[in-house]
């Protein structure tokens, strides 16, 4: 099945909107009656909504899952092009992420992971490209350079940030944490400007921008410290947790298991292609109306809609002021993630930074396609932001910013223009978490708000989405706890 989402380009076919994915659900709806009053309606079929819908339906609740798109997975989905899964959004997982690993074990997928890097052959180099030219390093030198630059960045306490974020899964921001949340990474870099070598500065800045998809000024220094803490306070940990292990069959091969298990419970009704327009809620339950005018009713609701698009839905009564303000501020991540299939086999083993002049900042060999070509993935963001489909020559030139390469195919999803995401993974500007983390997590009457964007642990990750979906289902089950069938 082909999703409406995503783009691909080849010389022969030109630019095409929509790519095939095993995450597309057919038939798009199994709603039988418009009059059913559901126990719970879950809006959003990303990992959070899928987890919530599955857990609630397995617990015996009558669940309706409503999703705007034609597919599951939200910001994590894979396209299957000529037998190869290009990851359009969320990709890498790690066994240190407890919620993700619980689910990987649940579906027996422990042996379905592979490593993105292959340093066994080819050029096997780290290419550090700046307006001054390209320097070449071994991967061992790359690790040493990255570790020293990030250690200087995070070392606010002589303990590599350990005293600032001692419990990375806690929802409490201590006064110390708040201080750093009100600082941007640009502020922190100004403090250590005399300690960094020029190369360390290039590495630190580009790695932070890879994480936030924003600019140095709009990236909360605390949230970067939080990622660092979650990754075991080391650069090696960052690589293991953030960019190393992915599903051989793509993310959609994981997500589909959640959906199938929920469906097998016999308690799941669903409707895709159903963007929600209005949500009325109060003492008597919830009434939801889609853009097409279809109305659904339930006792409870789990709202798994991302922060940056929450204000596009009309709530009656309106959203609580704190949540509304958080959604108005939004998060800053406008990551541009693009895949290229290239015929240069030696580049399978390159990693590279091209900064600050280039549109794509961070890239590396990510796989080998069935045709035997190299698959390169690269990331840009708000810094030198561009829309890959608008000027393909610019997009291809951004890849050449790492090294000369012969591009045969491009694949990507424009998350900035996506009306159901308006950005990539959550990354906050200074102050947002200190001011509004609690507001984003609070429930309102019969609605539980759940999303990776305000998870406590791996906030912004697939793990955080599953953490939140689990919490939401537990909360709603507790509401029904007195009922006989539970
Ligand atoms: P979403 O996946 O956004 O799900 C929300 C759902 O709500 C969507 O399906 C959306 O269509 C739907 N929706 C929105 N509005 C409406 C409406 N009005 N009516 C009905 N439905 C609506 N995480 C990792 O762990 N590892 C990674 O390597 C990684 N890389 C990433 C790379 C990119 C480019 C992106 C974009 C994300 C990445 N992430 C990664 C983050 C991860 O993908 C997300 O944190 C996670 O998928 C969010 O899940 P969610 O269910 O909370 O939200």
């Amino acid at each position: 099945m082909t999703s409406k989402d995503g783009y691909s380009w080849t010389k022969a076919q030109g630019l095409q909107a929509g790519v095939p994915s095993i995450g597309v659900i057919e038939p798009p709806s199994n709603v039988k009656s418009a009059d059913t009053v559901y126990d719970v309606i879950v809006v959003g079929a990303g990992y959070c909504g899928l987890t919530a819908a599955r857990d609630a339906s397995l617990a015996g609740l009558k669940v309706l899952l409503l999703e705007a798109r034609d597919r599951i997975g939200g910001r994590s989905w894979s396209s299957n092009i000529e037998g190869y899964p290009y990851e359009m959004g969320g990709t890498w997982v790690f066994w240190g992420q407890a919620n993700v690993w619980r689910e990987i074990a649940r579906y027996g997928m422990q042996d379905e992971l592979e490593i993105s890097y292959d340093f066994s052959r080819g050029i096997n180099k780290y290419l550090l490209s700046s307006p001054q030219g390209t320097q070449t390093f071994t991967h061992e030198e790359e690790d040493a350079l990255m570790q020293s630059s990030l250690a200087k960045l995070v070392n606010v306490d002589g303990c590599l940030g350990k005293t600032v974020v001692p419990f990375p899964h806690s929802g409490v921001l201590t006064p110390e944490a708040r201080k750093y949340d009100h600082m941007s990474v640009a502020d922190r870099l100004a403090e250590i400007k005399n300690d960094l070598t020029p190369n360390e500065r290039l590495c630190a800045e580009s790695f932070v921008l890879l994480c936030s998809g924003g600019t140095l000024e709009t990236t909360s220094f605390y949230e970067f410290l939080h990622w660092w803490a979650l990754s075991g306070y080391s650069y090696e940990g960052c690589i293991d947790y953030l960019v190393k292990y992915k599903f051989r069959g793509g993310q959609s091969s994981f997500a589909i298991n959640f959906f199938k298990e929920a469906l097998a419970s016999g308690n799941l009704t669903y409707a895709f292609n159903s963007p929600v327009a209005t949500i009325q809620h109060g003492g008597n339950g919830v009434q939801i109306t889609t853009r097409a005018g279809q109305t659904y009713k339930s006792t409870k609701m789990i709202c798994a809609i991302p922060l940056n698009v929450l204000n596009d839905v009309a709530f009656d009564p309106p959203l609580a002021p704190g949540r509304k303000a958080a959604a108005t501020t939004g998060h800053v991540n406008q990551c541009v993630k693009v895949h290229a299939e290239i015929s240069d086999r030696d580049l399978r083993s390159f990693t590279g930074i091209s900064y600050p002049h280039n549109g794509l900042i961070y890239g590396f060999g990510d796989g080998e396609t069935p045709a035997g070509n190299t698959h390169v993935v690269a990331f840009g963001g708000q810094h030198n932001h561009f829309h890959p489909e608008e000027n393909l020559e610019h997009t291809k030139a951004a890849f050449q910013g790492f090294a000369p390469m012969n591009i045969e195919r491009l694949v990507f999803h424009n998350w900035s223009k996506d009306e159901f995401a308006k950005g990539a993974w959550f990354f906050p500007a200074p102050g947002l978490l200190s001011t509004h983390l609690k507001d984003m997590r609070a429930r309102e009457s019969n609605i539980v708000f759940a999303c990776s964007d305000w998870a406590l642990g791996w906030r912004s990750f697939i793990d955080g989405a599953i953490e939140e979906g689990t919490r939401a289902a537990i909360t709603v089950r507790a509401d029904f706890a007195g009922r006989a069938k539970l």
Side-chain angles (χ1 to χ4, degrees):
M1 296 296 299
T2 296
S3 173
K4 289 201 260 318
D5 284 350
Y7 290 94
S8 68
W9 170 89
T10 60
K11 207 171 187 182
Q13 295 176 331
L15 181 69
Q16 299 210 320
V19 294
S21 171
I22 57 171
V24 176
I25 301 300
E26 191 58 43
S29 168
N30 69 352
V31 175
K32 290 196 179 68
S33 159
D35 302 325
T36 308
V37 178
Y38 298 91
D39 291 327
V40 54
I41 297 179
V42 178
V43 178
Y47 274 110
C48 176
L50 286 174
T51 305
R54 180 199 65 191
D55 290 359
S57 55
L58 289 177
L61 298 177
K62 254 187 300 167
V63 178
L64 173 66
L65 177 63
L66 292 177
E67 167 57 50
R69 308 176 192 275
D70 52 17
R71 58 171 183 82
I72 55 168
R75 280 172 283 174
S76 299
W77 70 293
S78 45
S79 61
N80 298 78
I81 296 176
E82 294 177 8
Y84 190 79
Y86 292 95
E87 295 285 5
M88 313 300 283
T91 305
W92 292 284
V93 292
F94 188 52
W95 44 89
Q97 296 168 324
N99 294 288
V100 157
W101 200 255
R102 184 189 70 219
E103 302 299 335
I104 288 176
R106 180 185 187 115
Y107 296 120
M109 296 180 75
Q110 295 93 330
D111 294 324
E112 294 188 30
L113 297 181
E114 64 180 12
I115 294 176
S116 278
Y117 303 105
D118 179 357
F119 295 157
S120 65
R121 62 190 167 79
I123 73 158
N124 225 351
K125 289 281 185 275
Y126 173 53
L127 308 174
L128 184 52
S129 164
S130 72
Q132 282 70 46
T134 299
Q135 306 168 70
T136 302
F137 298 94
T138 65
H139 291 303
E140 289 73 25
E141 289 166 336
E142 168 186 12
D143 290 349
L145 189 53
M146 290 300 303
Q147 171 65 29
S148 72
S149 53
L150 293 181
K152 288 180 185 176
L153 180 67
V154 301
N155 201 13
V156 286
D157 53 359
C159 305
L160 297 174
K162 283 184 188 145
T163 65
V164 180
V165 196
F167 298 104
H169 291 264
S170 166
V172 178
L173 267 72
T174 62
E176 186 79 344
R178 282 170 190 271
K179 181 178 103 188
Y180 292 116
D181 184 45
H182 282 100
M183 261 175 90
S184 68
V185 168
D187 296 333
R188 172 62 185 159
L189 284 165
E191 285 183 349
I192 56 167
K193 65 176 189 298
N194 297 326
D195 303 339
L196 293 170
T197 66
N199 278 348
E200 283 175 336
R201 194 177 179 99
L202 284 178
C203 289
E205 292 189 3
S206 44
F207 190 78
V208 165
L209 295 179
L210 171 69
C211 295
S212 81
T215 64
L216 298 171
E217 290 73 22
T218 60
T219 298
S220 157
F221 181 47
Y222 165 78
E223 190 68 333
F224 184 76
L225 288 172
H226 182 222
W227 280 41
W228 174 256
L230 287 162
S231 303
Y233 311 93
S234 75
Y235 171 67
E236 191 183 353
C238 289
I239 295 298
D240 283 347
Y241 279 95
L242 306 180
V243 281
K244 193 163 180 182
Y245 301 95
K246 59 177 184 170
F247 289 104
R248 203 171 290 123
Q251 273 294 334
S252 298
S253 70
F254 183 40
I256 196 72
N257 287 318
F258 293 61
F259 184 73
K260 282 184 180 163
E261 190 181 359
L263 206 53
S265 73
N267 289 324
L268 181 74
T269 304
Y270 65 84
F272 288 79
N273 303 317
S274 300
V276 165
T278 63
I279 298 172
Q280 293 167 282
H281 59 110
N284 296 330
V286 182
Q287 179 167 310
I288 294 180
T289 309
T290 65
R291 283 187 197 166
Q294 185 66 54
T295 295
Y296 300 101
K297 288 188 177 143
S298 63
T299 309
K300 304 285 172 190
M301 175 193 174
I302 294 172
C303 179
I305 296 175
L307 183 69
N308 280 8
V309 292
L310 207 46
N311 277 339
D312 296 343
V313 176
F315 285 81
D316 176 18
L319 290 175
R323 173 174 284 111
K324 176 108 194 140
T328 303
T329 301
H331 72 75
V332 300
N333 188 341
Q334 297 299 327
C335 168
V336 179
K337 177 181 185 183
V338 192
H339 301 281
E341 180 175 2
I342 63 172
S343 55
D344 317 71
R345 296 187 180 193
D346 280 355
L347 287 177
R348 173 72 184 93
S349 53
F350 101 98
T351 55
I353 283 173
S354 187
Y355 177 79
H357 54 298
N358 205 32
L360 293 169
I361 296 171
Y362 205 96
F364 54 92
D366 191 15
E368 188 177 313
T369 69
N373 290 325
T374 296
H375 159 210
V376 170
V377 65
F379 297 84
Q382 195 59 49
H383 174 87
N384 296 340
H385 191 265
F386 67 102
H387 297 290
E389 74 283 12
E390 285 184 359
N391 182 344
L392 290 162
E393 291 315 310
H394 178 79
T395 306
K396 288 187 237 170
F399 275 99
Q400 311 293 343
F402 298 105
M405 51 181 88
N406 183 23
I407 298 174
E408 305 211 335
R409 186 192 308 274
L410 295 171
V411 185
F412 53 90
H413 182 132
N414 185 333
W415 293 103
S416 297
K417 282 197 198 164
D418 183 318
E419 64 171 321
F420 303 117
K422 291 190 177 169
W425 61 91
F426 173 89
F427 211 100
L432 179 69
L433 290 173
S434 307
T435 320
H436 290 306
L437 180 58
K438 256 195 183 153
D439 296 331
M440 291 189 271
R441 295 177 58 79
R443 75 181 286 175
E444 293 183 37
S445 73
N446 292 312
I447 308 179
V448 178
F449 290 84
C451 183
S452 172
D453 296 3
W454 47 86
L456 295 182
W458 284 97
R459 180 168 47 244
S460 318
F461 290 80
I462 294 160
D463 190 88
I466 297 170
E467 173 198 316
E468 277 286 289
T470 306
R471 172 178 78 96
I474 288 173
T475 308
V476 166
R477 282 181 67 185
D479 287 350
F480 285 100
R483 216 169 67 171
K485 75 176 181 182
L486 283 177

